Amino acid sequence: MAMIGIYGLGNSIFQLLFNLFILARGDDLAFLGLLKSSISLAALVLGLPLGMLTDRIGIRRSMLLGVICSSVGIGALVLAPVDGLLLLAAAVLGIGNALFRAAGPAFIAQNTTEDEQPTAFSLQSSLRMLVAFGGSIVGGAIPGWFAVRLGIGPESAAAYRATLLIACFTMGLSLIPLLVIRQRKRPEPGPLVGVAFSIGSLLRRQDVRRLVVTQLIISLGAGLLIPYLNIFLKVRFGISDHLLGWVFAIYQLLIGVGTLAAPILSERWGEVRTIVGTQLASLPFLMALGFTPVLPVAIGALWLRAMLMNMGNPLYTAFAMRQARDKERGKVGALLGATSSVGWMIGPGVSGLVQQHLGFSPLFLTTGATYLLASLLMHLFFKEVEEPA
């Protein structure tokens, strides 16, 4: 948990300000979309091999590699002098993300019982969001602090760069608690020559294919819009970085509160009903966010949409992990991570071009349609799987 807290603090600062840094250094929305797509492309291409690596070298070592790659990638993104090096740094960050997607869920699943997993995944997600609450507040304030002391603009590339370097250093500190974790003895891994066959075997299973389909549709919609919500608020309403930090701090806090409530709802309604119900309930707020001209209404819609849409994420992860045996969990986690990377690879690049020519309205409509489709398919695919509430 200490590792999650330290890493999440730095990552929340990075997520809040990275888009603004790239635009402040003179790049356009199309290049920002290409950069974000490159992060997901690396995670997609290497996701499955890294999941297999996780099953062979162990979860702890994989998480250590993930922290190192993420920290190095972010540092290079902030310091790279030319666009070509930015794309290479984005790929390194994508490798770190892929390792976390494979190792993180497997670590929790390995160290909890099936009955404990919904609560464990919700607690982990909630802690990450609560830490991000503090990170967003700090991230929104630090550029102004640097601006006063260095005599630079608060929304300049230099102010953002200094703040992002602090985020990078903070993420690197998460290596310390990881180094003292004692890893449980893991199942003996199979030979690498059987890796492709084992992934093929997973994909031949109907339950895994259905998980992949719903994950893909959700990620396609999310990749179009979610990475750019900070830019949307800046463009539509012209809010300051300080206010933006507070908006996203409360955004993260409400996601944390929602994920804590998710296991309680799942005990009453069942996991699938909770996931589907909360996702559908978020859609009116998504549309309100995209089309209201009133800032307080937009902020309220942003918060409620985020809380409802993300409530089911830890339940979905726990549900997916139960479909796999212990020695397969790294592969299943990597498979779902790679699937998610498809959407996050395609979406940001397309979104950057759409924003330049058509604005945000088509993106909100498309994202809403994909969320609706994914929710209905989740209900159709898995309504008979869970035990009656």
Side-chain angles (χ1 to χ4, degrees), residues 37-52 91 94-95 98-99 101 334-335 337-342 345:
S37 293
S38 297
I39 297 172
S40 295
L41 177 61
L44 171 64
V45 172
L46 298 173
L48 290 178
L50 290 173
M52 300 161 196
I95 292 171
L99 282 164
R101 286 176 184 171
L335 179 60
T339 301
S340 181
S341 294
V342 173
M345 176 191 69

Side-chain angles (χ1 to χ4, degrees), residues 11-146:
N11 188 57
S12 63
I13 298 172
F14 171 76
Q15 296 295 337
L16 178 69
L17 297 177
F18 177 67
N19 289 352
L20 306 180
F21 166 69
I22 294 298
L23 297 180
R25 73 190 295 274
D27 292 301
D28 60 16
L29 286 166
F31 179 76
L32 176 60
L34 176 62
L35 201 58
K36 286 186 167 290
S37 293
S38 297
I39 297 172
S40 295
L41 177 61
L44 171 64
V45 172
L46 298 173
L48 290 178
L50 290 173
M52 300 161 196
L53 179 68
T54 294
D55 286 334
R56 292 191 64 82
I57 70 173
I59 295 167
R60 176 176 170 272
R61 290 193 185 100
S62 295
M63 294 178 76
L64 284 168
L65 286 174
V67 170
I68 292 169
C69 289
S70 296
S71 299
V72 170
I74 289 174
L77 279 169
V78 173
L79 297 173
V82 295
D83 289 349
L85 291 178
L86 281 173
L87 294 171
L88 179 61
V92 176
L93 177 57
I95 292 171
N97 290 346
L99 282 164
F100 269 107
R101 286 176 184 171
F107 177 81
I108 295 176
Q110 186 184 75
N111 290 279
T112 56
T113 66
E114 286 194 3
D115 290 340
E116 295 169 339
Q117 284 171 17
T119 300
F121 279 107
S122 293
L123 285 173
Q124 182 265 350
S125 180
S126 181
L127 173 63
R128 182 165 50 87
M129 295 305 158
L130 292 173
V131 168
F133 169 78
S136 294
I137 294 174
V138 172
I142 291 179
W145 185 87
F146 276 117

Side-chain angles (χ1 to χ4, degrees), residues 210-232:
R210 288 176 168 180
L211 287 169
V212 167
V213 168
T214 53
Q215 183 88 339
L216 176 61
I217 296 170
I218 286 284
S219 68
L220 284 169
L224 285 171
L225 183 61
I226 304 306
Y228 298 103
L229 289 177
N230 55 353
I231 292 177
F232 169 74

